[in-house]
């Protein structure tokens, strides 16, 4: 039985990954769980999963990334790490968690024992060739700039590049009574209230999305198959804004009679009118608009994708 250390398990994605790994069976002894899961958790009340019903042994490790050195002895007993914890909002905290103590966490692992580190970043840092965007390091939010810095410094880890797998989720959906809702899922119903207006706007933009349950399936696959290092953007095939609206309208049986283009200049004008100051990062997003990558989904790995379409999301969250 392998020992796995998880951070960020109290979040939306972390809940799905923890639940999925706890269900994994040892391929040589199918009656046994594959892993002993050690979960770094600051507030146990934030875990919604019924841990007593999950088949794997789960040890809750009180603490947080700011005090990760307290877990030095335990970390040297780990065979793998799945690092999902991140911070935003507070600039000092974002840099401490996303850079300083992430590097410290990697350094506390035993490179002779630990076989794999899976580290979650964000697709916002990358261009379409999976290269770091310099503007993300200059003008992004504190979260994005700190993740950019960590991306540049990951070679300081003894696991890079052969055993450090970096994952870049795109727009992440997820949530249920036993899983916290992601930010975008929590705002889905608010967006749908404006569908009667949105359906008549044409927007030149495109994106990927993926559900946390599908990310968890992919993580379980990689943990079981121990790939080498690498960089993977996680997302379903790209979807244009107009295609997304069309699919939502088809779901609700709403017709689109005409469409009016919504150019970036109009967005800037509305921001000026309502006294909203656009940051340099906002301006970049207005110019870029097409956040499309060579992304992979569970189907790429020969797995079932639980949420491949907009309709599958709407079926779950409405």
């Amino acid at each position: 039985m392998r020992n796995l250390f998880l951070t960020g398990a109290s979040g939306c994605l972390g809940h799905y990954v923890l639940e999925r790994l706890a269900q994994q069976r040892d391929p040589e002894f199918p009656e046994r769980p594959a892993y002993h899961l050690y979960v770094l958790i600051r507030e146990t009340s934030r875990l919604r999963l019924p841990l007593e019903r999950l088949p794997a042994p789960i040890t809750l490790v009180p603490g947080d990334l700011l005090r990760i050195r307290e877990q030095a002895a335990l970390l040297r007993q780990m065979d793998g790490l799945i690092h999902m914890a991140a911070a935003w909002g507070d600039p000092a905290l974002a840099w401490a968690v996303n850079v300083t103590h992430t590097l410290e966490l990697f350094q506390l692992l035993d490179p002779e024992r630990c076989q794999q580190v899976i580290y979650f970043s964000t697709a916002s840092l990358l261009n379409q060739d999976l290269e770091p965007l310099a503007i993300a390091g200059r003008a992004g939010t504190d979260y994005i700039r700190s993740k950019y810095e960590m991306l540049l410094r990951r070679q300081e880890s003894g696991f890079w590049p052969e055993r450090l797998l970096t994952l870049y989720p795109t727009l992440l959906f997820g949530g249920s009574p036993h899983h916290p809702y992601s930010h975008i899922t929590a705002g889905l119903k608010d967006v749908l209230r404006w569908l009667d207006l949105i359906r008549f706007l044409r927007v030149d933009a495109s994106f990927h999305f993926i559900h946390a349950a599908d990310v968890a399936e992919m993580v379980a696959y990689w943990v079981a198959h121990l790939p080498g290092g690498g960089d993977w953007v996680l997302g379903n095939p790209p979807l244009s804004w107009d295609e997304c609206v069309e699919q939502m309208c088809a779901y609700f049986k709403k017709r689109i009679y005409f469409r009016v283009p919504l150019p970036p200049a109009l967005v800037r004008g509305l921001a000026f009118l309502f006294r909203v100051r656009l940051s340099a990062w906002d301006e970049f997003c207005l110019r870029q608009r097409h956040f499309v990558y060579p992304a992979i989904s569970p189907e790429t790995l020969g797995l079932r994708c639980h949420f491949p379409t907009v309709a599958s999301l709407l079926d779950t969250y409405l």
Side-chain angles (χ1 to χ4, degrees):
M1 185 182 297
R2 291 160 57 195
N3 293 335
L4 300 182
F5 195 86
L6 278 66
T7 73
S10 62
C12 172
L13 175 61
H15 271 66
Y16 284 94
V17 171
L18 172 59
E19 182 179 43
R20 179 62 185 83
L21 291 176
Q23 296 167 351
Q24 193 81 4
R25 293 293 178 173
D26 189 317
E28 296 184 7
F29 305 97
E31 71 281 2
R32 302 179 187 175
Y35 316 117
H36 186 149
L37 303 174
Y38 293 82
V39 180
L40 183 69
I41 187 78
R42 186 172 63 250
E43 300 174 22
T44 57
S45 60
R46 294 180 62 189
L47 279 177
R48 302 184 184 181
L49 293 171
L51 300 184
E52 68 282 355
R53 299 181 188 174
L54 298 178
I58 298 174
T59 299
L60 300 182
V61 181
D64 58 39
L65 214 60
L66 299 178
R67 297 178 289 129
I68 194 59
R69 188 162 292 277
E70 296 175 2
Q71 312 303 333
L74 177 62
L75 285 166
R76 294 191 68 80
Q77 302 173 37
M78 295 299 113
D79 301 300
L81 166 69
I82 301 167
H83 181 35
M84 299 170 284
W88 55 86
D90 181 328
L93 183 62
W95 282 82
V97 169
N98 300 341
V99 183
T100 305
H101 293 287
T102 289
L103 287 169
E104 183 181 26
L105 170 62
F106 293 172
Q107 291 162 359
L108 290 172
L109 297 165
D110 181 356
E112 298 296 323
R113 174 163 183 170
C114 186
Q115 302 167 305
Q116 178 188 57
V117 171
I118 296 179
Y119 164 64
F120 277 85
S121 186
T122 172
S124 302
L125 305 178
L126 305 175
N127 64 19
Q128 295 181 358
D129 297 318
L130 303 188
E131 299 168 336
L133 281 167
I135 192 171
R138 296 194 311 269
T141 63
D142 292 307
Y143 170 74
I144 290 175
R145 286 190 294 114
S146 60
K147 283 290 190 178
Y148 179 87
E149 178 72 12
M150 182 60 210
L151 180 61
L152 298 184
R153 295 182 61 183
R154 59 184 174 161
Q155 65 266 27
E156 297 177 24
S157 162
F159 299 92
W160 189 88
E162 290 84 3
R163 287 177 288 165
L164 178 57
L165 183 63
T166 306
L167 303 179
Y168 306 86
T170 50
L171 296 179
L172 185 72
F173 286 86
S176 78
H178 294 299
H179 308 81
Y181 288 90
S182 71
H183 294 292
I184 192 169
T185 308
L188 184 59
K189 290 184 178 179
D190 290 332
V191 172
L192 293 176
R193 292 192 186 103
W194 291 92
L195 185 59
D196 283 336
L197 172 62
I198 291 173
R199 61 180 165 153
F200 299 122
L201 299 177
R202 183 177 299 280
V203 179
D204 182 26
S206 50
F207 56 91
H208 302 262
F209 73 86
I210 194 163
H211 194 280
D214 289 322
V215 175
E217 289 291 342
M218 300 169 79
V219 169
Y221 175 89
W222 280 315
V223 171
H225 291 83
L226 290 177
D231 298 83
W232 294 107
V233 173
L234 310 182
N236 289 313
L239 190 67
S240 74
W241 172 268
D242 291 344
E243 289 171 337
C244 180
V245 173
E246 288 164 7
Q247 291 182 29
M248 288 191 290
C249 288
Y251 185 89
F252 291 107
K253 297 180 172 56
K254 292 179 180 288
R255 296 182 64 183
I256 300 174
Y257 299 99
F258 61 88
R259 278 178 165 169
V260 177
L262 182 63
L266 180 56
V267 176
R268 294 186 183 96
L270 291 172
F272 178 79
L273 180 64
F274 290 99
R275 299 182 179 180
V276 176
R277 183 178 179 181
L278 297 178
S279 67
W281 182 251
D282 295 329
E283 285 287 350
F284 166 75
C285 293
L286 276 176
R287 293 193 305 272
Q288 175 75 5
R289 297 196 303 281
H290 297 280
F291 291 89
V292 176
Y293 312 92
I296 66 171
S297 69
E299 293 178 345
T300 311
L301 303 177
L303 307 172
R304 174 175 172 255
C305 187
H306 299 281
F307 294 89
T309 64
V310 172
S312 63
L313 293 174
L314 296 175
D315 281 340
T316 300
Y317 294 112
L318 295 183

